Amino acid sequence: MKMKRDSVTGIVGLIWSLIWLLLIQIQTKQPKNLLEPGPRLLPYVAFIVVFISSLMLFLKGVSDWKKDPTLDKPYFPEGGKLKVTKSYLMLVLTGILMAVFGFVPVAPFAIFAFIHDLKGSSFVKPLHAALISVIVTIGLYAMFVIGFQVKLPTGILFK
């Protein structure tokens, strides 16, 4: 059966969210005397968000199919698989660099690289990208360290 891309993505998201729910049930161990509900509820809140988003995406695809049954363009236009692979490798490299050097020195450069990777055919001035990278890094640092009171990676070299 032919489906719109939104329907296919929604079905994949629904399947993975159900697998995720199963993994949450199996793998998550909670301390017995935990008073605050945050650590217990966060995986379930994330599951609900992904599940509802996937369901809505599937329903949108079905609705669009009823309006116009022509097929969408392929997921990956020419060169798209290479671009996705490059972006994934950049993400892995960012994780490795954060483990070695820490969040603060790596994040601005990683965000700058992701801005240029994801800009597509748009022109982004390097100064604007650098400014956005620094502002986003400061915002993320404040959100996690001050807001959520979560320690960010300090890196092996700086311990």
Side-chain angles (χ1 to χ4, degrees), residues 3 20 23 36 46 50 52 63 80 87 101 110 136 145 155:
M3 291 188 278
W20 188 8
L23 290 173
E36 51 211 38
V50 171
I52 290 174
S63 171
S87 296
F101 297 108
V136 169
V145 173

Side-chain angles (χ1 to χ4, degrees), residues 1 4-5 9 20 28 38-39 44 47 52 67 75 77 79 88 90 100 105-106 109 112-113 116 127 132 146-147 151:
M1 180 176 138
K4 294 277 191 178
R5 289 188 303 189
T9 306
W20 188 8
T28 305
Y44 294 103
F47 158 75
I52 290 174
K67 291 177 188 171
Y75 271 103
Y88 179 73
M90 284 174 57
V100 174
V106 173
F109 294 106
F112 185 85
H116 280 285
L127 181 63
I132 290 169
I146 298 168
K151 292 182 180 179

Side-chain angles (χ1 to χ4, degrees), residues 58-117:
F58 172 73
L59 294 175
K60 180 184 180 300
V62 170
S63 171
D64 288 349
W65 179 263
K66 288 179 181 175
K67 291 177 188 171
D68 181 20
T70 58
L71 291 177
D72 292 332
K73 296 177 184 173
Y75 271 103
F76 297 112
E78 192 169 323
K81 290 180 183 178
L82 180 65
K83 186 173 174 99
V84 169
T85 303
K86 183 180 115 186
S87 296
Y88 179 73
L89 291 175
M90 284 174 57
L91 188 62
V92 169
L93 180 64
T94 299
I96 292 168
L97 290 173
M98 280 191 186
V100 174
F101 297 108
F103 176 82
V104 174
V106 173
F109 294 106
I111 294 168
F112 185 85
F114 282 118
I115 288 172
H116 280 285
D117 184 47

